[in-house]
Amino acid sequence: MLAHLCAGFSPNNQSGRTAGTRVMFDAVIIEKNDGQQTASFRQVAQDQLPAGDVLVIVEWSTLNYKDALAITGKGPIVKSWPMVPGVDFSGTVVESRSSDFQPGDKVLLNGWGVGEKHWGGLAGLAQVNAEWLIALPTAFSTRQAMILGTAGYTAMLCVMALEKADVRPADGPVLVTGASGGVGSIAVMLLSELGYATVAVTGRMAEKDYLESLGASRVIGRDLFTQKTRPLEKAEWAGAIDVVGGQVLASVCAAIRQRGAVAACGLAGSMDLPLTVAPFILRGVSLLGIDSALCPREQRIRAWDRLAGLIDVTRLEDVVSEYPLSQAIEAAHALMDGKTRGRILINVAG
């Protein structure tokens, strides 16, 4: 696939494309007709790409919860039709009208509305705005960057937010909900690496050994957090990273210690938040919203630099499920059915 796409471009000219070549590439396309949404895998012509000043041959992408919602139609993610899903990707620049990037540069992208408003990473080519891209950290290959992907980048933003809120390892245990998933599993690794006593919360206790191998000091069942709680519970946790939302997040907030903090980055359970103000005004708890999609570029670069210094990506190889692009739709359904764990890597160039 990658060799086929490269054949349509000339490395010796700035515009990249060989004269007279109409490049075709594989893509997952979501369409809506007569109110019915469908997702298909098919070929698309380069001239169908949306506007952008940098053209990238996509080598790797991932499947995140948001991508699965978009592909299966189980969430109102897509804002423009037709749409190529995929909120992140890594690859090689082949055309650029920006002085920031040149053909041959290795780059990655997270968020910025790709896969929702602008065609995303589940396709052989992506044409995007230069300010959405960052240079691939030298510590990672394009594949390794997507083993981390938006999940790893979001987890790092959560950890950085707790650090900024002055939650320190000496303050006590830090909770991670949804710990068997992409964000949660990498958050467990990062916190453990930084010296925090990390408590993993999961709805799949069969994953206990896996979570302990990532650095969790304890693993507890999600059922403890799914029931309505009192405004304040026993103060157990110095901080938390929550990817679930809903009652789970409410229960977590009610049990945070004095002046602790919770970084909230997901809504896999619910968008509703049934809690009171008690944790915030009686214990000084901070609820920190993590917006990974529109995070400023400088902060993105810091997050990826931190990941490069903290994460041994080879430790995640055993928990990566890899699919070719042609099977991305099947993988999305498996994710929604709770049949996956860890990271779902999509080999686009393969």
Side-chain angles (χ1 to χ4, degrees):
M1 174 71 176
L2 182 59
H4 168 71
L5 285 175
C6 285
F9 298 89
S10 167
N12 297 318
N13 96 40
Q14 182 69 19
S15 66
R17 199 178 311 116
T18 303
T21 301
R22 188 172 192 247
V23 176
M24 302 292 294
F25 59 94
D26 292 336
V28 174
I29 298 284
I30 305 174
E31 297 172 291
K32 194 171 190 178
N33 296 297
D34 298 325
Q36 295 296 313
Q37 179 177 312
T38 59
S40 62
F41 171 72
R42 58 183 172 84
Q43 284 216 312
V44 178
Q46 182 189 342
D47 55 17
Q48 294 178 261
L49 286 167
D53 48 15
V54 181
L55 182 67
V56 178
I57 291 180
V58 179
E59 298 171 22
W60 298 92
S61 186
T62 68
L63 266 178
N64 297 280
Y65 184 67
K66 184 181 285 187
D67 302 319
L69 286 173
I71 290 171
T72 62
K74 293 183 178 180
I77 302 300
V78 177
K79 306 296 191 297
S80 176
W81 310 91
M83 179 56 57
V84 171
V87 301
D88 55 19
F89 64 79
S90 60
T92 304
V93 173
V94 287
E95 292 185 7
S96 177
R97 294 188 297 277
S98 166
S99 60
D100 292 333
F101 299 101
Q102 302 298 319
D105 288 350
K106 298 291 186 180
V107 293
L108 63 83
L109 182 147
N110 304 102
W112 294 115
V114 299
E116 302 173 63
K117 302 175 184 178
H118 190 99
W119 284 18
L122 293 179
L125 288 174
Q127 190 160 257
V128 297
N129 295 335
E131 59 264 30
W132 300 348
L133 295 167
I134 67 170
L136 183 76
T138 56
F140 299 133
S141 67
T142 52
R143 182 179 184 275
Q144 290 172 328
M146 285 299 105
I147 288 177
L148 294 168
T150 290
Y153 152 68
T154 302
M156 191 71 250
L157 290 177
C158 289
V159 171
M160 289 165 60
L162 292 182
E163 290 174 331
K164 188 175 181 179
D166 204 26
V167 176
R168 298 160 298 177
D171 295 335
V174 173
L175 205 66
V176 178
T177 68
S180 298
V183 175
S185 59
I186 297 174
V188 169
M189 288 183 68
L190 288 168
L191 289 167
S192 174
E193 187 68 25
L194 288 166
Y196 291 87
T198 308
V199 180
V201 180
T202 180
R204 292 178 281 175
M205 287 302 289
E207 305 288 1
K208 181 174 182 290
D209 290 346
Y210 157 62
L211 292 168
E212 288 177 342
S213 75
L214 296 180
S217 57
R218 288 173 57 197
V219 180
I220 56 180
R222 185 177 59 203
D223 291 348
L224 295 173
F225 299 87
T226 56
Q227 304 302 314
K228 184 174 175 61
T229 62
R230 295 173 295 181
L232 289 176
E233 295 288 349
K234 179 183 176 182
E236 292 194 68
W237 321 113
I241 293 174
D242 176 71
V243 304
V244 180
Q247 183 59 54
V248 170
L249 176 55
S251 298
V252 169
C253 288
I256 297 293
R257 295 180 180 181
Q258 198 76 24
R259 305 199 68 79
V262 180
C265 65
L267 45 75
S270 174
M271 288 185 66
D272 296 330
L273 190 54
L275 50 63
T276 73
V277 298
F280 312 115
I281 64 173
L282 298 179
R283 288 184 180 161
V285 171
S286 298
L287 181 57
L288 313 170
I290 305 301
D291 173 20
S292 62
L294 298 178
C295 178
R297 192 166 185 269
E298 295 75 16
Q299 193 171 350
R300 291 168 182 269
I301 293 171
R302 285 198 300 273
W304 277 100
D305 286 345
R306 291 287 304 279
L307 284 169
L310 286 169
I311 288 283
D312 177 3
V313 182
T314 61
R315 289 180 61 197
L316 291 170
E317 286 286 355
D318 291 341
V319 296
V320 169
S321 301
E322 186 175 317
Y323 296 81
L325 181 61
S326 60
Q327 294 178 19
I329 295 172
E330 298 169 40
H333 284 277
L335 192 159
M336 292 303 301
D337 292 341
K339 297 178 180 178
T340 65
R341 76 173 188 185
R343 303 291 295 126
I344 301 177
L345 192 61
I346 304 298
N347 185 345
V348 179

